[in-house]
Amino acid sequence: AQRVTQPEKLLSVFKGAPVELKCNYSYSGSPELFWYVQYSRQRLQLLLRHISRESIKGFTADLNKGETSFHLKKPFAQEEDSAMYYCALSGRSNQAGTALIFGKGTTLSVSS
Amino acid sequence: GAGVSQSPRYKVAKRGQDVALRCDPISGHVSLFWYQQALGQGPEFLTYFQNEAQLDKSGLPSDRFFAERPEGSVSTLKIQRTQQEDSAVYLCASSLEGQPQHFGDGTRLSIL
């Protein structure tokens, strides 16, 4: 079955500390992985896409096919990083459509 | 230009009533998706349109749920004879073919 697992519901860190939000997936095929973020009172927005291999707001994520993981990392957390983070997999496909399969999300809380 | 627009933002209905939720995608986006997000969960796929064609409706939970996009732009998600378990946030997303999805603010539906 296609599935995305985010084992941590809440992650609390101090400002300046490293952050790693875990994401594991189950998918038979070549997946496309994403991280979406939702700041307080804002809509869900794309943070990272694995095929882009870029760093956004200091965050990076590497797709590890051997471990079926796509963990999100940032070396020094900032208070403005506090938000809900969702890992998502592009799985089911129908012609051009690629519906997303989301994990349950991890709340990141960064305090000073 | 404007992002994905959804209306109403909040909807309260009595059990058994019919509701209609509207999504106005980004202009030019051929792909349109509906997701349901229950409290404490990640979004779950409901249905997908490519232009006016509904290519995948495998995520619709019952025949009480119906979606349409008659002119390939605005889409409406209709829920008939609502039940308490239909209470959730309904998210709409649109995209260009093969590109990441852009989400609306969602409609929070509460069934009393």
Side-chain angles (χ1 to χ4, degrees), chain A residues 8-21 77-78 81-83 85 106-112:
Chain A
E8 303 138 331
K9 195 168 183 177
L10 172 66
L11 184 62
S12 296
V13 301
F14 288 109
K15 177 181 171 182
V19 169
E20 182 178 51
L21 299 169
Q78 302 299 315
D81 297 329
S82 296
Y85 291 80
T106 298
T107 299
L108 174 63
S109 176
V110 182
S111 56
S112 58

Side-chain angles (χ1 to χ4, degrees), chain A residues 43 49 86 92 94 98 100, chain B residues 4 35 37 55 58 101:
Chain A
R43 62 184 60 185
R49 185 182 186 189
Y86 292 97
R92 183 176 358 193
N94 189 320
T98 51
L100 293 169
Chain B
V4 177
Y35 294 86
Q37 185 173 20
L55 298 184
S58 61
Q101 295 173 33

Side-chain angles (χ1 to χ4, degrees), chain A residues 28-42:
Chain A
S28 54
S30 296
E32 185 169 9
L33 273 295
F34 303 84
W35 277 98
Y36 277 82
V37 60
Q38 189 167 27
Y39 300 102
S40 179
R41 289 187 289 276
Q42 294 187 27

